[in-house]
Each structure stands twice: as C-alpha cells, then as structure tokens.
Amino acid sequence: MNHLEPASTAEPRRIVLVSAGLSQPSSTRLLGDRLAEATVGALAEQGVRATVETVELRDHAHAIMDAMLTGFASGDLAHAIEQVTDADALVLVTPLFTTTYSGLFKSFVDILDKDSLVGMPVLLGATGGTPRHSLALEYGLRPLFTYLRADVATTTVFAATDDWAEAGGSAGTLPERVRRAGSELARTVASRDARAASSSDDSAPFAGTPSFEDMLGGLAG
C-alpha cells in the first residue's frame, strides 16, 4: 500500500477540534477528543508533530446567533473562526437531532466565509442515541462540506450510546473506526506543508522588494 510522504516535518500541524456538544461532559466532545488524538498519533508515526486546539461551540452560542443576525463576528467568536479557518485540518463533531446535525453546528458553519474551507482536510464525527441515525453523516454532513469544497476524509465516525461500551479494536468497533479515520486524516495532513510554512513561502517572493524610500534614495541630490 502506497503512503504519501510528508511534505515537510519541520513545522507542527494545527488540528482544530470543533465540538457542537451541548452538555458537560459531552459524548460529542469525547468522540472529538478521540478522533483528534488518533490523528495526532498517526501523524507522529510519520514523523510529523501536531497540536490540537478545541473550539466548543456551546461557549459561543449567543455570539453565533448575534453574528447570524448582524453578519459580524467579534471577540472570542472572531478568534474561534480564525482558529478554524487557519487550521491545517479540522475534526468536526456534532450530536444528531431528528436525524441531522444540530442547529448550533449549522449556524456556526453558516457564519463562516463560503470560501474559507476550500481544500481544508476535514474529519467528520457525530453522536446519537441509536445506530439508526448513523447514515446522517453521509446524507447530511458530507454533502454540506463537499459543497464548501473541503477535503473530507472517506471514513466518518458515528458513535451511538451502545458504542461506548465496546472494548478492543476489532473491525467495526468504535476504537477501530476512530483509528482508521484518524489515520486517513493524518495521511492527508502529512502530505501537505503546514499552513504557517505555506504562508511564509507565499510572502517570500516579495521579501526582497525595495521600499519606496529605497527607490527614491538614488534620486537624492
């Protein structure tokens, strides 16, 4: 099996976990933590360092609604949006209600710039009370992020209440699905330069451009 070689291992990758869990503690946040940990572990196996930052949408619920009404995000919400759009990859997790993602999750996505997730490596996860809702990831969440032109991992992870009682890592169990999904996201992230490094490279062609004062210096006298 062919593996993509890391583009660069010098810069650590920033994985941002966005959790739409409503309770504390939250099974949705727990699933997100496990997916992020699996991704970081898989990156480490490829010699790529990674850090995880977490955005709890519950903490920004009122600000998200204000941004929906005004079209403007400020304060902590603006910082959270910056974390998300500047990440090297996203782990996005939401509880499912009546077979679809939560209103809080969708509202947050709606206030993002429509082009801000283009090409972004994304891993999707969801929680619910019964396995009957598991397909919501494929008919609800995946089309949403495909529309936004994100690079969505093939494996998505749904965790029903009974899944948390599973042990071991046999095929089909929650731990194995988490491991497989994290490995897929890690391969995509490792094949690309860190966004911080890419930003520096983008500005490099102009680094040697003389200032206006330097250009006028030759005319002095």
Side-chain angles (χ1 to χ4, degrees):
M1 181 178 180
N2 293 326
H3 294 282
L4 295 171
E5 291 297 325
S8 170
T9 59
E11 290 287 340
R13 308 308 199 264
R14 292 178 55 250
I15 311 298
V16 175
L17 162 61
V18 178
S19 171
L22 299 180
S23 60
Q24 290 184 329
S26 163
S27 60
T28 301
R29 169 64 186 274
L30 178 59
L31 176 62
D33 286 339
R34 291 191 177 184
L35 290 170
E37 290 167 6
T39 303
V40 170
L43 282 167
E45 292 175 358
Q46 301 179 61
V48 180
R49 294 179 296 131
T51 61
V52 177
E53 300 172 16
T54 301
V55 174
E56 284 272 15
L57 298 187
R58 181 180 185 274
D59 297 338
H60 304 286
H62 292 292
I64 290 171
M65 183 55 65
D66 289 342
M68 290 280 289
L69 295 173
T70 64
F72 178 75
S74 61
D76 291 341
L77 177 59
H79 175 65
I81 292 174
E82 184 178 359
Q83 286 179 279
V84 168
T85 56
D86 287 348
D88 291 297
L90 300 176
V91 175
L92 305 174
V93 288
T94 178
L96 299 180
F97 299 109
T98 56
T99 73
T100 192
Y101 38 70
S102 73
L104 178 61
F105 183 84
K106 182 59 162 58
S107 296
F108 179 73
V109 174
D110 285 345
I111 65 174
L112 300 177
D113 183 273
K114 64 181 179 64
D115 296 321
S116 63
L117 300 186
V118 173
M120 175 75 73
V122 166
L123 175 55
L124 299 174
T127 57
T130 168
R132 290 181 299 170
H133 298 312
S134 60
L135 289 179
L137 280 161
E138 299 304 324
Y139 66 67
L141 268 76
R142 186 182 295 278
L144 172 62
F145 290 97
T146 298
Y147 172 78
L148 294 172
R149 292 174 288 166
D151 187 356
V152 184
T154 301
T155 298
T156 58
V157 180
F158 175 81
T161 301
D162 291 344
D163 286 325
W164 297 107
E166 294 175 347
S170 59
T173 64
L174 180 58
E176 172 56 23
R177 283 181 280 136
V178 167
R179 185 203 62 77
R180 185 167 67 247
S183 294
E184 287 180 9
L185 183 63
R187 283 196 295 271
T188 301
V189 173
S191 69
R192 306 179 183 186
D193 286 328
R195 180 161 296 204
S198 299
S199 299
S200 298
D201 291 342
D202 290 341
S203 62
F206 304 98
T209 303
S211 68
F212 189 64
E213 289 80 3
D214 289 339
M215 289 187 288
L216 291 179
L219 301 178

